[in-house]
């Protein structure tokens, strides 16, 4: 039986990277599903690649390309009419220049910001300009507070810590989009969205996108960095704030076994199984 082969084509590599002449990495379904799968190395292999070749050697069917496409969506960089514009391009370039990608935590934040933007488009294909820009820029404050080490685990009041992060980030993001040429109205709207991005609210596309990006892209790295105790708290905090629609999407993601187990313990209603 021949293994099913699929190619995922990526968008242009971010400014300041090579982006061409790099052979397309290959990914087998059996490695993707393995408990030992190295997400960090896989991410580095696609940073500058033009495409990725998927080889389904485990009879996974549609689920394999669909999970990998979601996981790699930051490199596909889909747009809608509100982001396929020179203004959004300038924002992406300024945002990229803020990041020193040699630093692992900054690299992780950069990937998370692009991934959150892409989750917004998945949840709302008609997402307006301000919502997409806010998604891209929602965590810029971490470039100031946590580029070399994380501190959130030390916060006496986690919600207060996150709200302060959101307020500072809102001002930084507003300045960045003004510099890129956005209108004052748009800058104010983007700042408003970012100020509230760590709070639960009704109809919260940005909050859902942020949480989905945590589960999809960041959860295994988070667990490696912070350990199981803090990861349990983070999963608990994140799960509580997302909508039922976003929760339903979490169970179809490729989650590492330790993360899936922590989540299943907490959810406890059978919608998330410890094995996948
Ligand atoms: Fe945040
Ligand atoms: Fe975030």
């Amino acid at each position: 039986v021949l293994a099913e082969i699929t190619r995922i084509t990526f968008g242009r590599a971010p400014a300041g990277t090579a982006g061409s002449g790099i052979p397309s990495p290959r990914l087998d379904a059996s490695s993707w599903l393995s408990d030992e799968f190295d997400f960090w190395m896989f991410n580095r292999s696609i940073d500058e690649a033009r495409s990725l070749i998927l080889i389904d050697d485990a009879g996974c069917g549609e689920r394999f390309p669909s999970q990998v496409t979601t996981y790699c969506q930051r490199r596909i960089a889909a747009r809608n009419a509100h982001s396929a514009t020179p203004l959004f391009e300038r924002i992406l370039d300024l945002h990229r220049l803020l990041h020193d990608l040699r630093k692992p935590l900054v690299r992780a934040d950069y990937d998370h910001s692009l991934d959150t933007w892409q989750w917004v488009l998945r949840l709302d294909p008609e997402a307006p300009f301000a919502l997409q820009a806010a998604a891209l820029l929602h965590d810029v404050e971490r470039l100031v507070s946590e580029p070399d080490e994380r501190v959130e685990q030390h916060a006496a009041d986690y919600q207060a810590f996150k709200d302060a992060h959101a307020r500072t980030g809102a001002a930084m993001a507003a300045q960045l989009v003004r510099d890129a040429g956005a209108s004052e109205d748009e800058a104010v709207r983007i700042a408003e969205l970012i100020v509230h991005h760590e709070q639960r609210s009704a109809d919260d596309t940005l909050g859902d996108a942020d949480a989905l990006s945590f589960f999809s892209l960041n959860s295994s790295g988070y667990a490696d960095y912070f350990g199981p105790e803090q990861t349990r708290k983070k999963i608990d905090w994140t799960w509580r704030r997302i909508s039922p629609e976003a929760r339903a999407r979490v169970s179809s993601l490729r989650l590492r076994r330790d993360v899936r187990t922590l989540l299943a313990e907490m959810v406890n209603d059978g919608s998330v199984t410890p094995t996948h």
Side-chain angles (χ1 to χ4, degrees), residues 112-113 116 135 138-139 142 162 165 197-198 210-211 213 241:
H112 168 64
S113 63
T116 304
H138 75 284
D139 277 338
R142 283 217 290 257
K162 284 297 196 185
H165 143 82
H197 89 268
E198 300 287 0
D210 192 12
S213 177
R241 70 179 208 163

Side-chain angles (χ1 to χ4, degrees), residues 120-259:
V120 158
L121 281 168
R122 261 176 204 269
L123 297 173
D124 177 7
E126 307 298 320
F129 164 75
L131 178 55
Q132 292 186 65
L136 183 71
L137 300 170
H138 75 284
D139 277 338
V140 282
E141 183 276 336
R142 283 217 290 257
L143 290 168
V144 181
S145 66
E146 298 188 303
D148 299 304
E149 74 177 311
R150 298 300 196 212
V151 295
E152 71 172 51
Q153 71 277 29
H154 306 308
D157 180 338
Y158 192 68
Q159 188 64 53
F161 171 85
K162 284 297 196 185
D163 290 343
H165 143 82
R167 280 194 303 276
T168 306
M172 292 172 67
Q175 193 53 52
L176 184 146
V177 299
R178 281 186 200 109
D179 292 346
S183 71
E184 189 54 29
D185 281 358
E186 294 286 20
V188 168
R189 178 77 190 116
I190 289 162
E192 268 169 19
L193 287 163
I194 295 179
V195 163
H196 299 296
H197 89 268
E198 300 287 0
Q199 292 159 358
R200 259 177 292 172
S201 61
D203 189 25
D204 185 2
T205 307
L206 176 53
D208 278 351
D210 192 12
L212 281 161
S213 177
F214 167 73
F215 282 113
S216 171
L217 188 61
N218 300 101
S219 54
S220 57
Y222 191 98
D224 291 341
Y225 187 91
F226 289 100
E229 212 41 59
Q230 173 68 23
T231 304
R232 180 179 284 112
K233 286 186 204 161
K234 175 77 168 187
I235 288 175
D236 184 76
W237 189 81
T238 307
W239 186 257
R240 282 171 196 279
R241 70 179 208 163
I242 59 175
S243 70
E245 296 73 34
R247 285 181 178 184
R249 289 178 184 253
V250 172
S251 54
S252 67
L253 300 172
R254 159 74 169 103
L255 300 178
R256 204 171 64 185
R257 183 181 299 265
D258 56 334
V259 172

Side-chain angles (χ1 to χ4, degrees), residues 18-50:
S20 61
I22 292 174
S24 292
R26 284 157 198 272
L27 176 64
D28 296 336
S30 54
S31 348
W32 171 249
L33 295 173
S34 146
D35 287 342
E36 277 75 52
F37 185 68
D38 188 333
F39 289 95
W40 178 264
M41 286 305 294
F42 173 67
N43 281 324
R44 301 297 67 81
S45 81
I46 64 165
D47 281 339
E48 298 176 19
R50 287 175 152 179

